[in-house]
Amino acid sequence: MLAKTPPMGWNSWNTFGQEISDTLIRETADKMVEEGLLEAGYEYLVIDDCWALMERDGQGRLVPDPAKFPFGMKALADYVHQKGLKFGMYSCDGTMTCAGYPASLEHEFIDAQTFADWGVDFLKYDNCYKPRSIESRLLYRRMAMALRATGRDILFSACNWGTDQVETWIRSTGAHMWRSTGDIQDNWASIKSIVTSQDGREPYSGPGCYNDIDMLVVGMYGKGNVGLGGCSDVQYKSHFSLWCMMNSPLMIGCDVRSMSDATREILMNREMIAVNQDPEGRQSYMIPLGGVGDDGKYADSRVYVKPLADGGYAIGFFNLSGEAQRQSLALWDLGLPTAAGYGLKLYDLWAHKEAGIAREHITHTLDAYDCRVYRASLVRL
């Protein structure tokens, strides 16, 4: 079974856009191994849009751009595989990809076989230039069937941006992850908008088919293809923590060849990754700590709770605002009444230390944009 836990890896789009090449992918593969990213679980290396020539060959097959990929995709996939990584590529269910390159509409089976012949292990499948008369669900079923027909295990990443009530039907197509948002940008407003858009989607994600809230922007610092503004390290820490709590696939978007120490520390926090990769595969639910605003959205002070396979919980406190906030979570909001005679033993996943036993509530003050994430276990008082 593919995607027993949320897929992890790296994707070229956020930083590089169309500026991709054989050299970039090989250097990235080298760094993913050297920096310990593969060992930490980041196994997929995915080439996004802009890799092909503008015309198919005489047999109707997609052709890699020889200026960018002079040795072809099979040789590049072989190099990635030799590093112990898995190789991913991109196509689209429309007449063109989002950047205007040949897409797979009415070519699903030949394209799927081409990808399989090259050694592809992951396909990101976008939703641009789709004929309005065809339902998205039919086109995702079609490509899923084409991938299965190849006989190769290819993880199917469906990217239709959360449209068409995708959460209600995508698992049935055979997809392994599904985008529930528009494209992320490297700024806090974008991250916050994605986070608040997820309220109520927690029932639609689990082993075999995960809710993908888009690629990570940790460590971009305003550079690259979606580097519109940049974030602080504190914001990146909260961004990564939210993605872990929400059980999103963790696809790195920065240039891993030049990571800062802070970026490395965030992306390789093994204790946070363990929360994301918990085998029970449950997306967290949200408890608002503040009131409801005029727009109906919950306030910026939030707690996310994720049941874990060992019987414990991950509990994440988040301050989405630009001002310090005092937060207090009553344990009975988790289902733990005082009369039960139990408390929660807390371990801080960013401080990497025990944080005491909570009896009736957990209370603290969080700085602007900051977070605190605990691993909690029930203890008899």
Side-chain angles (χ1 to χ4, degrees):
M1 174 181 171
L2 294 175
K4 290 182 180 179
T5 58
M8 297 174 62
W10 178 90
N11 180 290
S12 62
W13 183 255
N14 279 4
T15 292
F16 297 101
Q18 66 180 351
E19 302 300 323
I20 50 177
S21 67
D22 181 276
T23 299
L24 169 67
I25 300 306
R26 290 174 190 255
E27 290 178 353
T28 299
D30 293 344
K31 275 295 181 182
M32 288 179 71
V33 176
E34 292 170 12
E35 293 282 1
L37 290 168
L38 172 59
E39 185 182 0
Y42 297 97
E43 61 177 343
Y44 289 101
L45 194 165
V46 181
I47 299 172
D48 210 286
D49 203 350
C50 309
W51 58 266
L53 288 179
M54 288 297 184
E55 300 291 338
R56 293 173 178 266
D57 69 13
Q59 288 73 48
R61 294 173 301 198
L62 294 166
V63 181
D65 185 340
K68 295 177 178 179
F69 300 98
F71 309 109
M73 287 302 178
K74 179 64 167 64
L76 185 54
D78 288 346
Y79 185 86
V80 170
H81 290 150
Q82 289 166 9
K83 291 290 180 177
L85 294 156
K86 295 179 180 179
F87 184 63
M89 294 193 69
Y90 167 99
S91 190
C92 182
D93 67 2
T95 56
M96 296 187 294
T97 71
C98 297
Y101 291 79
S104 293
L105 180 67
E106 299 294 337
H107 299 273
E108 290 88 355
F109 282 80
I110 190 172
D111 287 356
Q113 189 60 56
T114 299
F115 295 141
D117 292 344
W118 287 344
V120 169
D121 306 296
F122 180 115
L123 178 65
K124 177 182 173 183
Y125 204 51
D126 225 330
N127 197 42
C128 289
Y129 300 104
K130 177 189 74 67
R132 294 181 181 179
S133 60
I134 305 179
E135 284 192 342
S136 292
R137 74 179 73 192
L138 176 60
L139 296 181
Y140 282 101
R141 285 175 188 162
R142 193 185 288 180
M143 180 52 85
M145 184 176 287
L147 293 173
R148 286 172 179 257
T150 69
R152 182 177 180 83
D153 284 339
I154 300 176
L155 191 146
F156 187 27
S157 171
C159 182
N160 87 325
W161 327 308
T163 62
D164 305 320
Q165 295 182 305
V166 61
E167 65 272 16
T168 64
W169 52 261
I170 191 62
R171 178 180 286 273
S172 67
T173 69
H176 300 101
M177 50 191 275
W178 57 279
R179 271 278 293 281
S180 59
T181 75
D183 289 357
I184 194 171
Q185 297 175 355
D186 182 20
N187 57 64
W188 185 249
S190 175
I191 292 168
K192 180 178 174 180
S193 175
I194 287 173
V195 168
T196 56
S197 76
Q198 296 306 300
D199 297 345
R201 284 201 167 118
E202 57 274 8
Y204 299 101
S205 182
C209 190
Y210 285 97
N211 177 7
D212 172 18
I213 56 178
D214 207 2
M215 297 168 286
L216 296 164
V217 294
V218 175
M220 289 188 63
Y221 299 112
K223 301 175 183 176
N225 191 46
V226 301
L228 303 175
C231 294
S232 68
D233 288 328
V234 169
Q235 291 170 331
Y236 285 141
K237 182 183 87 168
S238 292
H239 162 40
F240 185 74
S241 299
L242 284 159
W243 265 234
C244 288
M245 291 294 297
M246 291 185 177
N247 250 35
S248 178
L250 300 178
M251 302 298 292
I252 298 170
C254 71
D255 186 349
V256 299
R257 301 172 302 172
S258 56
M259 291 188 294
S260 68
D261 290 342
T263 298
R264 192 178 293 105
E265 180 181 355
I266 292 168
L267 292 175
M268 296 181 65
N269 183 329
R270 301 295 186 95
E271 293 173 326
M272 285 304 311
I273 291 172
V275 168
N276 177 264
Q277 295 290 296
D278 185 76
E280 196 153 308
R282 297 185 186 274
Q283 183 171 324
S284 59
Y285 62 87
M286 189 271 291
I287 299 175
L289 297 181
V292 177
D294 293 338
D295 61 356
K297 293 291 186 181
Y298 289 111
D300 291 337
S301 188
R302 292 172 168 234
V303 170
Y304 288 87
V305 182
K306 185 179 188 305
L308 302 174
D310 64 0
Y313 297 84
I315 305 175
F317 291 77
F318 295 90
N319 178 5
L320 304 184
S321 78
E323 298 179 354
Q325 291 189 354
R326 180 175 171 81
Q327 300 180 328
S328 185
L329 171 68
L331 297 192
W332 53 79
D333 283 337
L334 303 178
L336 185 59
T338 303
Y342 283 86
L344 290 178
K345 184 179 181 181
L346 304 178
Y347 179 86
D348 190 318
L349 298 182
W350 284 105
H352 306 292
K353 64 181 183 181
E354 300 291 341
I357 296 176
R359 287 169 167 79
E360 294 186 3
H361 57 85
I362 304 171
T363 301
H364 51 243
T365 298
L366 277 183
D367 290 336
Y369 310 116
D370 206 353
C371 69
R372 193 168 298 175
V373 186
Y374 299 107
R375 197 169 185 119
S377 56
L378 285 162
V379 292
R380 192 176 290 276
L381 298 175

